[in-house]
Amino acid sequence: MKSLTAPADGRDVYVLSDVPPGDYALLAHHDENGDGALDRNFIGIPIEPIAFSNGYRPLGPPSFDKARFTMGAKGESFELTLERPLGERGLFTVGVGGIWQSSPYVDYDGGVFQPIPAITYIGDRFQILGPNVQVRLFGTDRLRLGATARYRIGAYEEDESDALQGLGDRDDTLMAGLSLRYDIPRNFELQIGYEHDALDRIRGGEARVLLARPFQIDVARLSPRIGFRWLDSDLADYDFGVPSNAARPGRPAYSPGGSLNLEVGLGAFIEITRNWRLILDLGVQFLDSDLQDSPIVDEDVLLQGFAALSYAF
């Protein structure tokens, strides 16, 4: 990698010297606040003016292949126009999507599904990404703190299984909290967060620590992750417990208490065309032994997914 830092003194030409022939992608950026970094919003999108070679203007995560050029011994030149990736007002998309979750419960076929409008807004400080809302509170080029909110789908409906009769349906709710993201070497990202039931339907919360490693394959931005998700006792009891007043023969009262689950997952952002994009996310939680021991549980994994097809204006 070769870089050049120069003052914004009105000159028209900047030269990178001593660059051997080969395949490259060129990125230019205006450091407006002079902090020596490319400032980003909470999810990592630059909020300062940038430009790529080949006139490439990505609406999603940039692709090296689309900015790639082959430079010979005589060098190469480009005219670049610096622009904010999100414009002056941010990026807005609309579409359709859905949230799905498997049900690890006894005799519960299928899972739970909730269609949702796939409304997306990505701005410098505020983002709506399907069921997730994020507000950047503090940030540098590597460390970003944000307030978060998330629509949480209910775990089950009691009519779907005899083993759940009398427990009542598990309600959808809104989780809210804080999240910290830190970019570490080799393009890894550490995510630490906690969210609590903001509507007081569950009266519980969950924390997670995840390590993600985004990378680009053609038009797809993939982000595999691994980490741990901790459910406090209220949330674990709500989804997996049996209160004493609902106990019956073959279904004793049970309280799993707080639980720590291993999680792996994969997020994908696919830029189908300049305006159309597909967003996918799949997560797998491996339930800890206390949850597996619940009399209403007969699976040891929980699958969760989100998908949306949207159009950018």
Side-chain angles (χ1 to χ4, degrees):
M1 183 176 70
K2 186 80 171 180
S3 64
L4 168 69
T5 300
D9 52 9
R11 76 179 75 176
D12 294 326
V13 178
Y14 297 86
V15 178
L16 280 169
S17 57
D18 300 324
V19 179
D23 289 346
Y24 297 94
L26 179 64
L27 165 65
H29 128 249
H30 179 201
D31 185 9
E32 292 181 309
N33 57 10
D35 64 354
L38 176 56
D39 293 346
R40 305 172 187 271
N41 65 9
F42 182 68
I43 60 176
I45 297 177
I47 59 177
E48 292 181 314
I50 63 173
F52 289 91
S53 47
N54 297 335
Y56 175 45
R57 299 170 57 198
L59 289 181
S63 166
F64 175 82
D65 287 339
K66 291 189 176 181
R68 183 205 306 263
F69 63 93
T70 299
M71 188 179 72
K74 295 182 178 180
E76 190 72 44
S77 64
F78 291 96
E79 284 192 14
L80 301 178
T81 301
L82 294 168
E83 297 178 326
R84 300 180 190 277
L86 300 174
E88 297 298 328
R89 298 182 178 180
L91 176 65
F92 179 74
T93 74
V94 295
V96 294
I99 306 170
W100 174 80
Q101 178 174 292
S102 70
S103 294
Y105 304 104
V106 175
D107 297 329
Y108 199 114
D109 295 329
V112 288
F113 175 77
Q114 177 66 55
I116 61 170
I119 299 174
T120 299
Y121 174 77
I122 303 176
D124 289 357
R125 286 194 169 272
F126 178 69
Q127 296 93 43
I128 302 174
L129 300 170
N132 302 293
V133 177
Q134 303 163 340
V135 180
R136 179 176 177 266
L137 302 177
F138 166 82
T140 65
D141 61 326
R142 289 190 174 273
L143 182 66
R144 301 180 292 277
L145 175 67
T148 65
R150 172 175 56 92
Y151 175 76
R152 185 180 193 270
I153 192 171
Y156 62 76
E157 296 180 2
E158 64 171 335
D159 291 341
E160 295 295 328
S161 169
D162 291 340
L164 301 174
Q165 293 294 319
L167 293 178
D169 295 341
R170 292 303 179 251
D171 295 328
D172 301 347
T173 193
L174 179 70
M175 307 293 288
L178 295 173
S179 180
L180 186 70
R181 296 192 177 198
Y182 179 65
D183 296 335
I184 55 182
R186 299 186 182 275
N187 204 32
F188 284 92
E189 180 182 78
L190 179 65
Q191 303 174 17
I192 303 172
Y194 176 80
E195 292 179 330
H196 199 83
D197 176 20
L199 302 182
D200 204 31
R201 294 175 177 174
I202 299 172
R203 300 180 181 178
E206 63 182 71
R208 65 178 186 174
V209 177
L210 297 173
L211 184 66
R213 209 294 190 176
F215 62 94
Q216 190 83 26
I217 299 179
D218 195 20
V219 298
R221 177 78 163 181
L222 304 179
S223 183
R225 63 182 183 271
I226 186 170
F228 291 94
R229 187 184 294 262
W230 176 76
L231 282 63
D232 73 7
S233 58
D234 289 329
L235 182 53
D237 287 349
Y238 186 77
D239 279 357
F240 301 99
V242 178
S244 57
N245 60 4
R248 69 185 190 191
R251 192 182 69 188
Y254 186 77
S255 175
S259 68
L260 185 66
N261 304 327
L262 174 67
E263 177 180 348
V264 296
L266 176 67
F269 184 104
I270 303 171
E271 192 176 354
I272 302 172
T273 68
R274 176 165 172 76
N275 296 97
W276 285 99
R277 71 278 317 284
L278 179 65
I279 303 171
L280 303 170
D281 188 88
L282 176 64
V284 181
Q285 289 189 57
F286 297 89
L287 304 182
D288 77 3
S289 58
D290 290 334
L291 299 185
Q292 295 180 42
D293 289 341
S294 169
I296 63 173
V297 172
D298 68 354
E299 300 286 347
D300 58 3
V301 297
L302 176 66
L303 307 179
Q304 297 171 313
F306 167 72
L309 179 66
S310 62
Y311 181 83
F313 292 89

